[in-house]
Amino acid sequence: MIQVILRKKLSYCVLAFFLFAIICVWKERKKVGYYESLKLETEGFQVVSNQEKLLVGSGPQSSVGTQDLHTGNPALSSTKSSVKTKPPPSFQVWNKESSSRNLPSRLQSIRKNYLNMNKYKVSYKGPGPGVKLTPEALRCYLRDRVNVSMVEATDFPFNTSEWEGYLPGENFRTKAGPWGRCAVVSSAGSLKSSQLGQEIDDHDAVLRFNAAPTANFQQDVGTKTTIRLVNSQLVTTAGRFLKDSFYNEGIMIMWDPAIYHSDIPKWYKHPDYNFSSNYKSYRRLHPEQPFYILRPQMPWELWDILQEISPEKIQPNPPSSGMLGIMIMMTLCDQVDVYEFLPSKRKTDVCYYFQKFFDSACTMGAYHPLLFEKNMVKHLNVGTDEDIYLHGKATLLGLKNLHC
Ligand SMILES: *[C@@H]1O[C@H](CO)[C@@H](O)[C@H](O)[C@H]1NC(C)=O
Ligand SMILES: *[C@@H]1O[C@H](CO)[C@@H](O)[C@H](O)[C@H]1NC(C)=O
Ligand SMILES: *[C@@H]1O[C@H](CO)[C@@H](O)[C@H](O)[C@H]1NC(C)=O
């Protein structure tokens, strides 16, 4: 009798133990699953609602090379081995040596298609690929070879009667900067619940992109907008461009992709989007707000450097708005804090912090050479991996006070 009771008790104990063990294993798997799903999905700067570009966005980043991109991941191995080890001393962040091999096969073939298509007739003749530069040398390169300036009223055909009075009278450099600490705020979904708003607003100037709002998201992205960089597609086709009031704050800059190294007259004959009419309408509605047009040569000047330092051929399409915005701020500021361009630990299912649905274009960039842009930003980062991991923050030095 006693033996039977004992045996029963023992079997209950064994059962309870197994249950406990199963729960433990399940929890660990969930943790590992979280890290594995922390893919480099933060295509935070992908052009909003650009059909052509969205078309080639990826689905869920099923096989983005977690292994290669997150090499030596102590967080992952410690969760596997023992629950009670101390927090890892280093952080799982973007690997600046990432290459197209790290892309899922679908994105690899899209990259190849773009290489073959060569829509912008790129004929790169410079050094590389794979030229190794120190961060210092790269900064000097950027300063000396990328001319961040705007189309001016004296540039043909903007000097004709059709354009009289439409471009801002004052030079961009007298309106913008110089500033000390600047923030570049991506539109990444992982900004959600970041609580970075106050930190972002504490900067001297803040740059935002396209249709990214601040209302209802102040806690996470702040309220200040000093510069808004918009693409020509938004200006040309977005129904709300002339209506939404958040565009009316700060300095606006529009950019439009040109054929590789076209000058202004050639580009004007073949813009990617015919922005003229909507640009003029906006200017008539808001004549006091500075609204510049980026010189079409600038994105390709930056692209040339990306190509030179990248280990392989990059997409022959212009850099992302994100990369252009970072470059603009580097010329105007002593220090640039870039938020969620290099992905943080914050996992998100939404592509943009202001969109409630998952957008399949939330990728490592199929159209833009985003992977290589991120490598460059990681190479230039003077902040810590901890800042990237916890806050999605990369810190870059401005180009004003360089000694080259
Ligand atoms: C940059 O472009 C502007 C406008 O075309 C020009 O006036 C200026 O000389 C250029 N600067 C450099 C360093 O090339
Ligand atoms: C506009 O600029 C072009 C090229 O610099 C020049 O030839 C032309 O005379 C200018 N037109 C006007 C109306 O000033
Ligand atoms: C762009 O549109 C304007 C009028 O909206 C037109 O006059 C101009 O020819 C167009 N430009 C091109 C390159 O199609």
Side-chain angles (χ1 to χ4, degrees):
M1 188 64 189
I2 288 169
Q3 263 184 349
V4 172
I5 290 171
L6 262 179
R7 214 179 287 161
K8 245 188 181 171
K9 271 191 178 167
L10 195 69
S11 59
Y12 281 139
C13 279
V14 168
L15 198 71
F17 174 78
F18 271 116
L19 264 174
F20 178 73
I22 285 167
I23 288 168
C24 280
V25 167
W26 178 70
K27 275 196 166 169
E28 284 309 302
R29 282 184 65 108
K30 240 180 97 169
K31 269 192 214 168
V32 172
Y34 167 77
Y35 283 110
E36 275 175 353
S37 63
L38 180 70
K39 300 283 162 57
L40 302 156
E41 78 269 36
T42 318
E43 156 67 294
F45 295 104
Q46 181 73 272
V47 180
V48 178
S49 79
N50 184 332
Q51 284 314 319
E52 181 196 5
K53 295 165 196 179
L54 295 192
L55 214 88
V56 292
S58 86
Q61 296 71 46
S62 48
S63 60
V64 175
T66 319
Q67 217 65 45
D68 299 299
L69 293 168
H70 303 147
T71 44
N73 169 14
L76 187 55
S77 43
S78 71
T79 53
K80 266 178 182 161
S81 53
S82 160
V83 186
K84 277 188 182 137
T85 48
K86 279 204 301 190
S90 63
F91 296 87
Q92 169 190 325
V93 294
W94 185 270
N95 174 4
K96 66 177 178 167
E97 310 288 341
S98 302
S99 77
S100 65
R101 284 194 309 277
N102 302 118
L103 295 169
S105 57
R106 192 167 144 260
L107 287 187
Q108 290 191 25
S109 61
I110 287 170
R111 175 177 153 272
K112 282 198 195 108
N113 286 346
Y114 275 126
L115 284 168
N116 293 331
M117 202 190 306
N118 196 8
K119 175 178 173 188
Y120 300 99
K121 303 189 168 61
V122 171
S123 56
Y124 177 74
K125 302 252 165 35
V131 172
K132 294 252 185 276
L133 295 175
T134 63
E136 294 72 29
L138 179 52
R139 277 190 279 273
C140 291
Y141 230 50
L142 289 168
R143 186 195 70 179
D144 296 338
R145 293 184 37 193
V146 185
N147 186 352
V148 176
S149 55
M150 305 296 150
V151 172
E152 284 170 25
T154 50
D155 292 319
F156 181 80
F158 293 87
N159 66 354
T160 58
S161 58
E162 251 180 82
W163 278 88
E164 202 177 334
Y166 279 112
L167 291 183
E170 242 180 310
N171 187 280
F172 175 65
R173 293 301 183 93
T174 62
K175 273 280 180 203
W179 291 304
R181 290 175 61 249
C182 299
V184 172
V185 185
S186 81
S187 305
S190 40
L191 275 165
K192 246 192 164 163
S193 309
S194 68
Q195 299 289 316
L196 285 167
Q198 189 59 54
E199 179 178 327
I200 288 168
D201 278 346
D202 283 343
H203 289 80
D204 301 320
V206 178
L207 184 143
R208 301 182 195 276
F209 296 94
N210 293 321
T214 54
N216 302 323
F217 303 98
Q218 296 95 332
Q219 291 279 327
D220 294 331
V221 304
T223 58
K224 193 188 276 184
T225 305
T226 319
I227 298 184
R228 185 176 290 272
L229 180 63
V230 297
N231 61 58
S232 55
Q233 192 199 22
L234 183 93
V235 171
T236 307
T237 62
R240 304 193 55 83
F241 180 65
L242 297 173
K243 297 190 194 111
D244 280 332
S245 62
F246 60 78
Y247 292 114
N248 311 154
E249 191 187 342
I251 299 168
M252 278 230 286
I253 304 174
M254 186 207 76
W255 75 283
D256 177 78
I259 299 298
Y260 189 60
H261 289 306
S262 291
D263 59 12
I264 294 172
K266 270 198 206 134
W267 157 71
Y268 189 79
K269 274 191 206 150
H270 305 283
D272 222 20
Y273 288 88
N274 191 347
F275 55 86
S276 299
S277 150
N278 267 16
Y279 174 88
K280 287 178 183 173
S281 301
Y282 188 95
R283 292 288 292 154
R284 281 192 293 268
L285 286 169
H286 308 284
E288 302 304 325
Q289 183 185 16
F291 187 0
Y292 294 94
I293 301 173
L294 189 67
R295 271 176 63 257
Q297 295 95 326
M298 182 271 193
W300 290 114
E301 290 161 1
L302 182 56
W303 185 94
D304 283 348
I305 294 177
L306 279 165
Q307 176 57 87
E308 180 172 338
I309 66 169
S310 294
E312 61 195 314
K313 279 195 164 183
I314 70 174
Q315 289 94 321
N317 299 325
S320 66
S321 289
M323 194 63 240
L324 298 177
I326 291 168
M327 184 65 212
I328 290 169
M329 282 315 225
M330 282 172 78
T331 64
L332 301 174
C333 311
D334 295 329
Q335 181 191 313
V336 184
D337 293 328
V338 184
Y339 290 93
E340 289 290 358
F341 190 64
L342 304 179
S344 72
K345 64 169 185 174
R346 277 183 295 276
K347 188 182 179 301
T348 178
D349 287 334
V350 286
C351 200
Y352 305 104
Y353 67 81
F354 49 91
Q355 280 180 348
K356 295 254 173 358
F357 50 88
F358 179 83
D359 189 325
S360 65
C362 182
T363 68
M364 300 179 65
Y367 172 84
H368 298 295
L370 198 62
L371 179 100
F372 307 100
E373 298 171 4
K374 288 182 184 195
N375 288 352
M376 183 163 95
V377 168
K378 181 66 169 73
H379 190 49
L380 290 170
N381 180 40
V382 295
T384 63
D385 282 356
E386 183 175 4
D387 267 343
I388 298 171
Y389 183 75
L390 295 178
H391 309 294
K393 173 168 127 180
T395 299
L396 312 185
L397 299 178
L399 306 176
K400 282 188 292 156
N401 309 314
L402 285 180
H403 303 287
C404 297

